Amino acid sequence: MSKQAQLIQALKQEGTGAAVLSDPVSINYLTGFYSDPHERLMLLFLFADTEPLLFLPELDALRAKSIVDFPVVGYIDSENPWAKIKSLLAKTDYSKVALEFDHLNVSKFKGLEHIFSGQFTDLTPLINQMRLIKSPDEIRKLLIAGGLADKAVQIGFDHISLDACETDIIAQIEFGMKKQGVDKMSFETMVLTGSNAANPHGIPANNKIENNSLLLFDLGVESKGYVSDMTRTVAVGQPDPFKKDIYNICLEAQLTALDFIKPGVTAAQVDQAARAVIEKAGYGEYFNHRLGHGIGMSVHEFPSIMAGNDLVLEEGMCFSVEPGIYIPEKVGVRIEDCGYVTKNGFEVFTKTPKELLYF
Ligand code: MN
Ligand code: MN
């Protein structure tokens, strides 16, 4: 059954007559068509009793029509999109209409209030639940995106130089990926040297790569609508034994968690498996974020791998495992792979080696 059919079936079961999707990522998930409409209006209408409608800016209509197999209607900038939508819909008096509460903004909500008369319910939990378990086809796409991240980080490694600054290396990585046909990185590439890596959300700048220090790469690429996200920390020169110790503790935490994951364990238990290693070594307070986040069409989605999340993991769930140790002014290490839960374990999408690499 298609994802659209699955969603419509779930809506029918709860007596919801119509759903309106506004998040371009959700629309892509359900139709295979992606566009960022910026400030313009793009809505996907799904109905329990009639065929769907994709309503969007006219400049995207032709491409959408070549991808989806149901009515697509465009509007031009000088038209009133809400009046046009109202004229297109045969029926608007559904008792329940589901909207993406986490995405829809207030002005679009007001527009929809003028069209539908029923009660508005939240579609976000249902979409999140559907996106939680990836199909084999989605996992294939995530593996391709992961393979491209491996290539991207290798380009970064190839450009490590004491003459370069963080942003020089980022420019080389992104230039190299563009040349390979990658449309875009899945988030802003991070290359952080020395103590700048000690800030989990450090900002790359014109800092020269430090010698005898650790260098952190956090990057991902987007491919066919699916994204990757990986972090590697490498040695430049000969970091002192303390830095190497911190690296090895972080690596042990990551490998312990990767080994622990299988269907039936909870997200909180996975987080704890990694955290226990870092706590035992005495650095628990310096691992100050959750172990991981779901990944798919978005870089951050469900499930959240953290304390308090008792979600039981199932085959097909995809998420990151990214312990970090950040000691302010001194050293920062993070090691991150995303992967998917298999029948009896966990397979990663990114394969770049993890023993400490020296440059
Ligand atoms: Mn991540
Ligand atoms: Mn990352």
Side-chain angles (χ1 to χ4, degrees), residues 197-210:
N199 177 352
H201 273 173
I203 296 169
N206 58 350
N207 304 307
K208 279 264 158 68
I209 302 309
E210 282 176 34

Side-chain angles (χ1 to χ4, degrees), residues 192-264:
L192 301 170
T193 185
S195 59
N196 202 19
N199 177 352
H201 273 173
I203 296 169
N206 58 350
N207 304 307
K208 279 264 158 68
I209 302 309
E210 282 176 34
N211 200 12
N212 302 325
S213 184
L214 297 178
L215 179 62
L216 183 150
F217 295 81
D218 188 349
L219 54 77
V221 304
E222 189 180 311
S223 168
K224 296 191 186 345
Y226 285 77
V227 298
S228 49
D229 180 13
M230 81 179 299
T231 306
R232 287 294 182 271
T233 305
V234 300
V236 178
Q238 283 300 330
D240 61 44
F242 171 67
K243 289 174 183 147
K244 287 194 242 179
D245 275 354
I246 295 295
Y247 183 86
N248 287 323
I249 293 161
C250 189
L251 179 59
E252 191 192 333
Q254 206 234 13
L255 296 176
T256 301
L258 291 176
D259 198 46
F260 179 83
I261 301 165
K262 60 179 182 198

Side-chain angles (χ1 to χ4, degrees), residues 229 293 320 322 336:
D229 180 13
H293 53 79
S320 73
E322 51 178 307
E336 171 181 28

Side-chain angles (χ1 to χ4, degrees), residues 132-133 251-275 290-295 303-306 309 311-323 335-349 354:
L132 194 56
I133 308 277
L251 179 59
E252 191 192 333
Q254 206 234 13
L255 296 176
T256 301
L258 291 176
D259 198 46
F260 179 83
I261 301 165
K262 60 179 182 198
V265 304
T266 70
Q269 286 169 336
V270 175
D271 179 278
Q272 187 50 35
R275 202 165 296 278
R290 63 184 172 184
L291 181 66
H293 53 79
I295 192 160
S304 205
I305 308 300
M306 61 178 184
N309 185 2
L311 176 82
V312 175
L313 299 185
E314 290 175 46
E315 196 179 344
M317 288 183 183
C318 298
F319 51 84
S320 73
V321 176
E322 51 178 307
I335 304 169
E336 171 181 28
D337 293 292
C338 295
Y340 63 102
V341 180
T342 63
K343 247 187 189 49
N344 43 29
F346 191 70
E347 283 289 331
V348 291
F349 299 130
K354 282 183 284 202

